[in-house]
Amino acid sequence: MRLATWNVNSVKARLPRLLEWLELAGPDVLCLQETKLAADAFPAGEVKALGYDTAHHGEGRWNGVALLSRAGLDDVRRGFDGDPGWSGEPGGEEPLLDEPRREARAISAVCGGVRVWSVYVPNGRTPESAHYGYKLNWLAALRLAVAADLATGAPVAVCGDFNVAPADSDVFDIKAFAGATHVTRPERDAVAALLDAGLSDIVPKPMKGPNPFTYWDYRAGMFHQDKGMRIDLVCASPTIAGAVKGAYIDREARKGKGPSDHAPVVIDFDI
């Protein structure tokens, strides 16, 4: 199976590139994040023409996750039990609502015998923000949900934009992130706890240069100077991790006109 994950930063803005990439890379399953589409607005017909079934969990201009599969798409679950939800505006830092609202940040399904998750972890904004606490709570709840899947003994892969760089080597300069999210100890501990539930972080090879970065800010020169981060992860159960034949970051998809600020991560395995 070829499994991939990609934060496309708007399917509407990136649709021609998405369709082209599906034809070129040929993943059996693709996890998407930041679709930024309403629940019923995903262009399923366009990807169906390439042989892919679609499951989408969207909420309009914010967030959104999807699974595209030509290996089956069974037992689709949108969200997960225990999701703490967010009590503020989608782009805000502080709670404003009386009741938390569950955002479109996780979807999973069985594809070719593998329970595949596509996740878009909350950003956290700043360590002082209430959104940071939401991020940690969301990751803790995700761990419990994934642990339940792992307990069945079935192969599991949790893929997506984690908004966490697991190690200092996963950012271009750790000093540049002083006082910022994505690199704090609580965030890294939360991802480590997810892995400790029974998953391995499949670190892909870069297509160019020494750094396995998957995200580069749009600011001029960041991509060309390789000033990026590895925040898009594929976390796999032992059956998958032990069968990986290759894993790479498709830097080419980050080039050209109107790219996403993330590159796809692709892994190949036989089970």
Side-chain angles (χ1 to χ4, degrees):
M1 178 182 286
R2 170 162 283 190
L3 172 63
T5 184
W6 190 9
N7 180 324
V8 288
N9 193 10
S10 173
V11 167
K12 183 177 180 180
R14 237 64 67 186
L15 184 58
R17 296 182 67 112
L18 171 61
L19 297 175
E20 179 184 33
W21 189 83
L22 284 170
E23 290 194 275
L24 288 173
D28 296 299
V29 182
L30 173 60
C31 304
L32 295 177
Q33 300 86 43
E34 277 203 274
T35 60
K36 296 183 179 179
L37 294 171
D40 60 352
F42 196 92
E46 285 89 332
V47 298
K48 183 67 173 179
L50 300 178
Y52 292 90
D53 294 321
T54 302
H56 178 237
H57 184 28
E59 59 180 274
R61 61 188 289 243
W62 303 96
N63 308 317
V65 285
L67 293 167
L68 310 185
S69 175
R70 59 184 187 187
L73 201 57
D74 302 314
D75 191 19
V76 176
R77 303 173 189 168
R78 292 170 173 84
F80 56 89
D81 291 341
D83 180 342
W86 172 234
S87 299
E89 294 298 326
E93 295 184 9
E94 300 303 326
L96 296 173
L97 308 176
D98 292 334
E99 294 292 334
R101 178 181 58 85
R102 290 186 173 185
E103 299 181 308
R105 291 187 176 275
I107 189 169
S108 72
V110 176
C111 308
V114 178
R115 169 62 66 178
V116 179
W117 286 74
S118 177
V119 302
Y120 178 45
V121 176
N123 180 283
R125 315 290 187 227
T126 69
E128 297 76 27
S129 168
H131 203 266
Y132 179 82
Y134 165 50
K135 179 179 190 174
L136 298 180
N137 291 337
W138 195 93
L139 282 167
L142 176 67
R143 181 190 183 280
L144 294 177
V146 171
D149 284 341
L150 290 166
T152 69
V156 176
V158 184
C159 314
D161 179 357
F162 278 71
N163 273 314
V164 179
D168 288 357
S169 58
D170 291 320
V171 298
F172 71 91
D173 180 2
I174 191 60
K175 295 177 182 177
F177 293 87
T181 57
H182 294 52
V183 299
T184 67
R185 177 49 53 198
E187 291 169 288
R188 289 177 170 178
D189 286 347
V191 172
L194 175 65
L195 296 173
D196 286 345
L199 301 172
S200 295
D201 178 7
I202 309 300
V203 181
K205 294 181 179 179
M207 295 180 72
K208 178 182 178 182
N211 301 309
F213 299 152
T214 63
Y215 164 84
W216 300 262
D217 192 280
Y218 280 129
R219 287 177 293 175
M222 296 294 279
F223 176 68
H224 298 292
Q225 297 176 67
D226 202 24
K227 292 184 175 181
M229 310 173 70
R230 185 174 77 93
I231 56 176
D232 301 270
L233 311 180
V234 175
C235 304
S237 61
T239 303
I240 299 172
V244 172
K245 299 187 297 181
Y248 71 94
I249 300 158
D250 191 349
R251 281 179 56 97
E252 295 300 310
R254 178 61 176 79
K255 297 179 180 179
K257 183 179 179 180
S260 169
D261 43 4
H262 296 250
V265 176
V266 182
I267 72 166
D268 293 304
F269 59 93
D270 289 326
I271 59 171

